[in-house]
């Protein structure tokens, strides 16, 4: 007979003699502010299986992305130090950051819309904190120390051989995993080749990198070995933001209080409806599996991360006692109160329209970002000079190739007419992919057609097919002339 079966057979009191005392014991904080450790029971069920599938998929993605390259470029790289940025294999530069900023705004609006509609699903299904804690560190803890009851027993006992061995083994594995996570995080910043070089050269050759890695490893270990759910309940701003965004029409993990109340222990063969009892048998299985230590029956709480462990636990109990599943389920508060079906509200529609427009504008900016960025700057302190009836100005050019292909370009003056370009070397300039090419050109203009001492000039950069790739407007200097 399983533990749940025993609990039901004893009237729901197999694990708890005093419900109020038990409820106090699973909170994450005492009234004095002292930390209370949460020992969640290992969840199982339909939603847990789905969540495991999502978690393992995202973990594979996390550990695989640093090794994926597109056209020789990293799939994702965010190297702030060397100002190298790649997203989906496409290079981005500091001057493109307005696009990334717009993308961040679009992501924020998406999160807002998603939270308004579906609550805190991100926290329970996609958040890295939840994935690493529940799908990696917690599973190791279950493997070494056992399920909830064994962990509580181990925590209470003296520091004997068993406790020292199990805790030492768990903490050692945690340190190793934290090191692995840190190294992969650095691969997203400097690339896996550089990380492997740092490892092969050793800590004495790279003391700064070594210290930074140790600090991040210590931070990850602290978060996943000790701080745990406190990140979600005390630190994460998203948990507080949801309190502003969620309303009665938001889909969340809810307890159907209309069906569940009045709570009462299970009595075999009893007609609960006839005695005015609800379907909740007060077994506390939804509480013992909660990773943040809350009772979902107390209503929507900021600590709830929508992990669905309580849904699986309740459904298992309902199936065993022969009552319908879904006492705890995904629903809106309005749906539970009124029985009305879920509706996409006007506020959600408004946010969705803004999101579609923003994403469309973002797509336009990405598609029109241009293949190359060109600049023509007059050298500091330089001036014009006159030769054979022509005025010459010198310009330093800088070409940035934003594509994954080598470019061969030439320079022409678009405006004004009759201006000519003189090259210090070949007229065909080669710009390697994702590289910067620099050089110098001279632009000459007939003195007889120079009406102003300084006038605008537009210089174009063309590929070998004659297509204009980029243009740049600067000024052209000439001798001062008195106008009568």
């Amino acid at each position: 007979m399983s533990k749940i079966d025993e609990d039901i057979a004893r009237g729901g009191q197999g694990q708890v003699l005093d419900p109020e005392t038990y409820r106090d014991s699973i909170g994450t904080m005492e009234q004095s502010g002292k930390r209370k450790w949460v020992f969640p029971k290992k969840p199982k069920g339909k939603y847990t299986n789905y969540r495991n599938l999502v978690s393992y998929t995202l973990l594979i993605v996390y550990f695989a992305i640093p090794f994926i390259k597109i056209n020789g470029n990293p799939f994702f790289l965010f190297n702030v130090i060397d100002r190298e940025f790649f997203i989906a294999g496409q290079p981005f530069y500091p001057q493109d950051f307005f696009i990334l900023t717009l993308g961040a705004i679009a992501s924020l609006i998406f999160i807002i819309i998603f939270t308004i509609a579906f609550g805190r699903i991100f926290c329970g299904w996609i958040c890295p904190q939840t994935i690493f804690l529940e799908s990696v560190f917690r599973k190791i803890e279950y493997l070494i120390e056992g399920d909830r009851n064994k962990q509580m027993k181990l925590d209470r006992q003296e520091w004997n051989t068993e406790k020292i061995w199990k805790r030492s083994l768990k903490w050692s594995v945690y340190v190793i995993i934290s090191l692995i996570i840190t190294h992969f995080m650095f691969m997203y910043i400097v690339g896996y080749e550089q990380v492997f070089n740092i490892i092969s050269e050793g800590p004495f050759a790279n003391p700064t990198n070594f210290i930074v890695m140790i600090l991040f490893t210590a931070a990850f270990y602290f978060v996943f070995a000790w701080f745990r759910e406190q990140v979600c309940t005390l630190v994460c701003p998203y948990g507080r933001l949801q309190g502003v965004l969620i309303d009665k029409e938001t889909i969340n993990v809810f307890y159907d209080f209309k069906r569940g109340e009045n709570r009462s222990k299970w009595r075999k063969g009893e007609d609960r409806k006839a005695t005015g009892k609800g379907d909740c048998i007060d077994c506390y299985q939804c509480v013992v599996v909660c990773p943040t230590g809350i009772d979902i029956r107390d209503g929507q709480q900021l600590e709830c991360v929508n992990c669905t462990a309580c849904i699986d636990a309740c459904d298992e109990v309902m199936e065993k006692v022969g009552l319908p599943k879904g006492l705890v389920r995904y629903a809106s508060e309005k749906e539970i109160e009124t029985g009305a079906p879920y509706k996409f509200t006007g506020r959600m529609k408004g946010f969705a329209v803004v999101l579609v427009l923003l994403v469309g504008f973002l797509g336009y900016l990405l598609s029109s970002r241009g293949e190359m960025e060109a600049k023509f700057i007059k050298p500091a302190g330089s001036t014009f000079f006159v030769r054979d009836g022509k005025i010459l100005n010198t310009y330093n050019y800088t070409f940035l190739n934003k594509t994954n292909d080598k470019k061969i370009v030439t320079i022409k003056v678009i405006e004004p007419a009759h201006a000519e370009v003189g090259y210090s070397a070949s007229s065909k300039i080669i710009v390697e992919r994702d590289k910067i090419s620099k050089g110098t050109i001279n632009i000459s203009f007939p003195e007889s057609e120079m009406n102003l001492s300084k006038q605008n000039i537009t210089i174009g950069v063309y590929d070998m097919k004659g297509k204009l790739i980029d243009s740049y407007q600067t000024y052209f200097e000439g001798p001062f002339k008195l106008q009568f």
Side-chain angles (χ1 to χ4, degrees):
M1 182 180 291
S2 69
K3 191 66 179 175
I4 296 178
D5 292 329
E6 292 176 5
D7 189 60
I8 294 171
R10 294 170 183 166
Q13 307 233 9
Q15 293 179 335
V16 184
L17 297 177
D18 185 348
E20 291 302 322
T21 302
Y22 176 79
R23 186 177 292 116
D24 288 342
S25 69
I26 54 87
T28 59
M29 300 286 281
E30 294 180 352
Q31 291 184 353
S32 62
K34 183 180 178 181
R35 166 81 180 275
K36 285 186 177 181
W37 198 265
V38 178
F39 295 94
K41 183 180 177 182
K42 187 177 181 179
K44 60 179 180 179
K46 178 180 69 173
Y47 285 104
T48 300
N49 293 336
Y50 290 155
R51 214 156 52 94
N52 286 337
L53 180 61
V54 172
S55 298
Y56 296 144
T57 301
L58 292 176
L59 285 170
I60 291 172
V61 170
Y62 174 77
F63 290 114
I65 281 181
F67 301 98
I68 299 175
K69 291 195 173 185
I70 298 178
N71 296 320
N73 293 330
F75 182 85
F76 182 89
L77 188 72
F78 201 81
N79 190 343
V80 179
I81 298 173
D82 297 327
R83 296 190 298 178
E84 292 183 342
F85 309 97
F86 292 90
I87 300 177
Q90 292 298 314
F92 286 82
Y93 306 90
Q95 52 267 51
D96 295 324
F97 255 61
F98 74 98
I99 300 178
L100 299 182
T101 302
L102 190 63
I105 295 173
S107 300
L108 178 61
I109 294 178
F110 177 80
I111 291 173
I112 290 173
I113 295 173
F114 203 80
T115 303
I116 291 173
F118 302 107
R120 209 171 170 180
I121 291 180
F122 171 84
C123 298
W125 290 74
I126 303 175
C127 176
Q129 161 71 15
T130 302
I131 290 175
F132 280 115
L133 176 59
E134 301 299 332
S135 297
V136 179
F137 289 87
R138 191 90 75 184
K139 289 189 183 301
I140 292 170
E141 191 169 55
Y142 288 138
L143 184 64
I144 296 174
E145 296 185 355
D147 207 343
R148 168 185 164 81
N149 292 337
K150 291 183 179 179
Q151 290 180 26
M152 295 173 69
K153 179 182 176 182
L154 185 70
D155 186 66
R156 289 192 298 264
Q157 72 186 39
E158 298 294 329
W159 282 93
N160 54 18
T161 304
E162 179 192 11
K163 187 170 183 177
I164 293 173
W165 178 80
K166 287 185 176 181
R167 288 290 170 87
S168 299
L169 176 60
K170 181 181 75 171
W171 292 337
S172 299
V173 174
Y174 281 3
V175 169
I176 293 172
I177 294 176
S178 298
L179 274 169
I180 294 173
I181 295 173
T182 300
H183 281 74
F184 273 84
M185 183 192 73
F186 272 76
M187 290 181 187
Y188 281 88
I189 299 173
V190 298
Y192 72 88
E193 301 96 336
Q194 184 64 23
V195 171
F196 287 156
N197 287 338
I198 293 172
I199 295 173
S200 62
E201 291 172 357
F204 296 106
N206 303 278
T208 302
N209 294 328
F210 177 73
I211 293 173
V212 172
M213 283 190 175
I214 292 298
L215 291 175
F216 271 96
T217 299
F220 283 127
Y221 177 82
F222 170 75
V223 167
F224 294 116
W226 188 82
F227 206 47
R228 295 193 162 190
E229 76 285 341
Q230 302 296 301
V231 173
C232 307
T233 60
L234 299 178
V235 178
C236 180
Y238 181 54
R240 299 295 175 259
L241 179 64
Q242 72 157 350
V244 180
L245 300 175
I246 290 176
D247 56 23
K248 287 192 173 185
E249 295 181 330
T250 301
I251 297 293
N252 258 314
V253 174
F254 270 109
Y255 162 68
D256 190 341
F257 57 87
K258 294 190 71 175
R259 173 187 155 191
E261 302 297 321
N262 294 309
R263 306 175 199 171
S264 177
K265 300 300 181 183
W266 174 253
R267 297 290 184 269
K268 190 173 182 180
E270 180 184 32
D271 187 346
R272 297 179 68 85
K273 287 186 177 180
T275 56
K277 297 177 181 179
D279 284 354
C280 177
I281 67 171
D282 218 15
C283 65
Y284 286 89
Q285 294 305 308
C286 61
V287 181
V288 297
V289 297
C290 180
T292 58
I294 66 170
D295 189 340
I296 192 64
R297 299 172 300 175
D298 292 338
Q300 181 60 35
Q301 298 154 73
L302 291 176
E303 293 84 356
C304 179
V305 294
N306 279 212
C307 69
T308 68
C310 55
I311 297 179
D312 284 334
C314 186
D315 282 350
E316 183 182 4
V317 173
M318 292 294 103
E319 187 174 15
K320 287 181 181 294
V321 299
L323 294 173
K325 295 181 181 180
L327 182 60
V328 180
R329 65 182 186 272
Y330 274 123
S332 67
E333 188 176 355
K334 183 177 180 180
E335 176 187 344
I336 291 176
E337 289 179 347
T338 65
Y342 174 75
K343 291 177 63 177
F344 202 65
T345 65
R347 183 171 62 155
M348 297 178 192
K349 293 176 182 178
F351 275 118
V353 170
V354 173
L355 179 63
V356 169
L357 293 175
L358 198 57
V359 170
F361 184 55
L362 179 63
Y364 168 76
L365 290 178
L366 289 173
S367 62
S368 61
R369 187 170 64 116
E371 301 175 0
M372 181 176 293
E373 184 170 313
K375 290 185 178 180
F376 296 87
I377 307 296
K378 289 180 65 64
S382 67
T383 185
F384 67 92
F385 57 95
V386 182
R387 179 187 299 167
D388 300 329
K390 291 185 178 181
I391 304 171
L392 281 78
N393 279 222
T394 300
Y395 297 89
N396 292 333
Y397 65 78
T398 302
F399 296 157
L400 173 60
N401 187 355
K402 296 182 178 182
T403 69
N404 290 317
D405 302 313
K406 180 174 69 175
K407 293 289 184 181
I408 302 176
V409 299
T410 186
I411 303 169
K412 297 178 182 179
V413 177
I414 300 176
E415 183 70 29
H418 309 300
E420 298 178 355
V421 179
Y423 298 88
S424 57
S426 172
S427 61
K428 296 180 180 179
I429 302 170
I430 299 175
V431 188
E432 298 293 338
R433 68 169 194 169
D434 190 30
K435 296 295 182 182
I436 293 176
S437 179
K438 296 183 178 181
T440 304
I441 60 170
N442 292 318
I443 294 181
S444 61
F445 190 71
E447 185 179 8
S448 59
E449 298 187 20
M450 187 78 178
N451 298 321
L452 302 172
S453 59
K454 182 184 289 188
Q455 66 183 56
N456 292 333
I457 182 173
T458 304
I459 307 172
V461 181
Y462 297 80
D463 62 14
M464 291 297 95
K465 296 181 180 179
K467 176 187 175 183
L468 177 65
I469 299 176
D470 196 17
S471 62
Y472 189 85
Q473 188 177 73
T474 182
Y475 63 91
F476 189 91
E477 290 184 331
F480 179 75
K481 292 183 178 180
L482 292 175
Q483 300 293 330
F484 295 100

Coordinates of all heavy atoms in Angstrom, one line a residue, residues 273-304:
K273 N -21.8 14.4 -0.4 CA -22.8 15.4 -0.8 C -23.9 15.5 0.2 O -24.4 16.6 0.6 CB -23.3 15.2 -2.2 CG -22.3 15.5 -3.3 CD -22.9 15.4 -4.7 CE -21.9 15.8 -5.8 NZ -22.5 15.7 -7.1
A274 N -24.4 14.3 0.6 CA -25.5 14.3 1.5 C -25.2 14.9 2.9 O -26.0 15.5 3.6 CB -26.0 12.9 1.7
T275 N -23.9 14.8 3.2 CA -23.5 15.3 4.5 C -22.9 16.7 4.4 O -22.4 17.3 5.4 CB -22.4 14.4 5.2 OG1 -21.3 14.3 4.2 CG2 -23.0 13.0 5.5
G276 N -23.0 17.3 3.2 CA -22.5 18.7 3.0 C -21.0 18.9 2.9 O -20.5 20.0 3.2
K277 N -20.4 17.8 2.6 CA -18.9 17.8 2.5 C -18.5 18.0 1.0 O -19.1 17.5 0.1 CB -18.3 16.6 3.0 CG -18.5 16.4 4.5 CD -17.9 15.1 5.0 CE -18.2 14.9 6.5 NZ -17.7 13.6 7.0
G278 N -17.4 18.7 0.8 CA -16.8 18.9 -0.5 C -15.9 17.8 -0.9 O -15.7 16.8 -0.1
D279 N -15.3 17.9 -2.1 CA -14.5 16.8 -2.6 C -13.1 16.8 -2.0 O -12.3 15.8 -2.2 CB -14.4 16.9 -4.2 CG -15.7 16.4 -4.8 OD1 -16.5 15.9 -4.1 OD2 -15.8 16.5 -6.1
C280 N -12.7 17.9 -1.4 CA -11.3 17.9 -0.8 C -11.3 17.1 0.4 O -12.1 17.4 1.4 CB -10.9 19.4 -0.5 SG -9.3 19.5 0.3
I281 N -10.5 16.1 0.5 CA -10.4 15.2 1.6 C -9.3 15.6 2.6 O -9.0 14.9 3.6 CB -10.2 13.7 1.2 CG1 -8.8 13.6 0.6 CG2 -11.3 13.3 0.2 CD1 -8.4 12.1 0.3
D282 N -8.8 16.8 2.4 CA -7.8 17.4 3.4 C -6.6 16.5 3.6 O -6.2 16.3 4.8 CB -8.5 17.7 4.7 CG -8.0 19.0 5.3 OD1 -7.4 19.7 4.6 OD2 -8.3 19.2 6.5
C283 N -6.1 15.9 2.5 CA -5.0 14.9 2.7 C -3.6 15.6 2.6 O -2.6 15.0 2.9 CB -5.0 13.9 1.6 SG -4.8 14.6 -0.1
Y284 N -3.6 16.9 2.2 CA -2.4 17.7 2.2 C -1.3 17.3 1.2 O -0.2 17.7 1.2 CB -1.7 17.8 3.6 CG -2.5 18.7 4.5 CD1 -3.5 18.2 5.3 CD2 -2.2 20.1 4.6 CE1 -4.2 19.0 6.2 CE2 -3.0 20.9 5.4 CZ -3.9 20.3 6.2 OH -4.7 21.1 7.1
Q285 N -1.7 16.4 0.2 CA -0.8 16.0 -0.8 C -0.4 17.1 -1.7 O 0.7 17.2 -2.3 CB -1.4 14.8 -1.6 CG -1.6 13.5 -0.8 CD -0.3 13.1 -0.1 OE1 0.8 13.0 -0.7 NE2 -0.4 12.9 1.2
C286 N -1.4 18.1 -1.9 CA -1.1 19.2 -2.8 C -0.1 20.2 -2.1 O 0.6 21.0 -2.7 CB -2.3 20.0 -3.1 SG -3.2 20.6 -1.7
V287 N 0.0 20.1 -0.8 CA 0.9 20.9 0.0 C 2.3 20.4 0.1 O 3.3 21.1 -0.1 CB 0.4 21.2 1.4 CG1 1.3 22.1 2.2 CG2 -1.0 21.7 1.4
V288 N 2.4 19.0 0.3 CA 3.7 18.4 0.5 C 4.6 18.4 -0.8 O 5.8 18.3 -0.7 CB 3.6 17.0 1.1 CG1 3.0 17.0 2.4 CG2 2.9 16.1 0.1
V289 N 3.9 18.5 -1.9 CA 4.7 18.5 -3.2 C 5.1 19.9 -3.6 O 5.9 20.1 -4.6 CB 3.9 17.8 -4.3 CG1 3.6 16.4 -4.0 CG2 2.6 18.6 -4.6
C290 N 4.6 21.0 -3.0 CA 4.8 22.3 -3.4 C 6.3 22.7 -3.2 O 6.7 22.7 -2.0 CB 3.9 23.3 -2.7 SG 4.1 25.0 -3.2
P291 N 7.0 23.1 -4.2 CA 8.4 23.5 -4.0 C 8.6 24.9 -3.3 O 9.7 25.2 -2.9 CB 9.0 23.6 -5.4 CG 7.8 23.9 -6.3 CD 6.6 23.2 -5.6
T292 N 7.5 25.7 -3.2 CA 7.7 26.9 -2.5 C 6.9 26.9 -1.1 O 6.8 27.9 -0.5 CB 7.1 28.1 -3.3 OG1 5.8 27.9 -3.7 CG2 8.0 28.3 -4.6
G293 N 6.4 25.8 -0.7 CA 5.8 25.6 0.6 C 4.5 26.3 0.8 O 4.2 26.7 2.0
I294 N 3.7 26.4 -0.2 CA 2.4 27.1 0.0 C 1.3 26.1 0.0 O 1.4 24.9 -0.5 CB 2.1 28.2 -1.0 CG1 2.0 27.6 -2.4 CG2 3.2 29.2 -0.9 CD1 1.5 28.6 -3.4
D295 N 0.1 26.5 0.4 CA -1.1 25.7 0.3 C -2.0 26.3 -0.8 O -2.5 27.4 -0.6 CB -1.9 25.7 1.7 CG -3.0 24.7 1.7 OD1 -3.5 24.3 0.6 OD2 -3.5 24.3 2.8
I296 N -2.1 25.7 -1.9 CA -2.8 26.2 -3.1 C -4.3 26.5 -2.7 O -5.0 27.3 -3.3 CB -2.7 25.3 -4.3 CG1 -3.2 26.0 -5.6 CG2 -3.5 24.0 -4.0 CD1 -2.3 27.2 -6.0
R297 N -4.8 25.8 -1.7 CA -6.2 26.0 -1.3 C -6.5 27.3 -0.6 O -7.6 27.7 -0.4 CB -6.6 24.8 -0.4 CG -6.5 23.5 -1.0 CD -6.7 22.3 -0.1 NE -5.8 22.4 1.0 CZ -5.8 21.6 2.1 NH1 -6.8 20.7 2.2 NH2 -4.9 21.7 3.0
D298 N -5.4 28.0 -0.3 CA -5.6 29.3 0.3 C -5.8 30.4 -0.7 O -5.8 31.6 -0.3 CB -4.4 29.7 1.2 CG -4.3 28.8 2.4 OD1 -5.3 28.2 2.8 OD2 -3.2 28.6 3.0
G299 N -5.9 30.1 -2.0 CA -6.1 31.0 -3.0 C -4.8 31.4 -3.8 O -3.7 30.9 -3.4
Q300 N -4.9 32.2 -4.8 CA -3.7 32.6 -5.5 C -2.7 33.4 -4.7 O -3.1 34.3 -3.9 CB -4.1 33.5 -6.7 CG -3.0 33.9 -7.6 CD -2.3 32.7 -8.2 OE1 -2.9 31.7 -8.5 NE2 -1.0 32.9 -8.4
Q301 N -1.4 32.9 -4.7 CA -0.4 33.5 -3.9 C 0.8 33.9 -4.8 O 1.1 33.2 -5.8 CB 0.0 32.6 -2.8 CG -1.1 32.3 -1.8 CD -1.0 30.9 -1.2 OE1 -0.2 30.7 -0.3 NE2 -1.8 29.9 -1.6
L302 N 1.5 34.9 -4.4 CA 2.7 35.3 -5.2 C 3.8 34.2 -5.2 O 4.6 34.2 -6.2 CB 3.3 36.6 -4.6 CG 2.5 37.9 -4.7 CD1 3.2 39.0 -4.0 CD2 2.3 38.2 -6.2
E303 N 3.8 33.4 -4.2 CA 4.8 32.3 -4.2 C 4.6 31.2 -5.2 O 5.5 30.4 -5.5 CB 4.9 31.7 -2.8 CG 5.5 32.7 -1.7 CD 4.4 33.6 -1.1 OE1 3.2 33.5 -1.6 OE2 4.7 34.3 -0.2
C304 N 3.4 31.1 -5.7 CA 3.0 30.0 -6.6 C 3.7 30.3 -8.0 O 3.6 31.3 -8.6 CB 1.5 30.0 -6.8 SG 1.0 28.7 -8.0

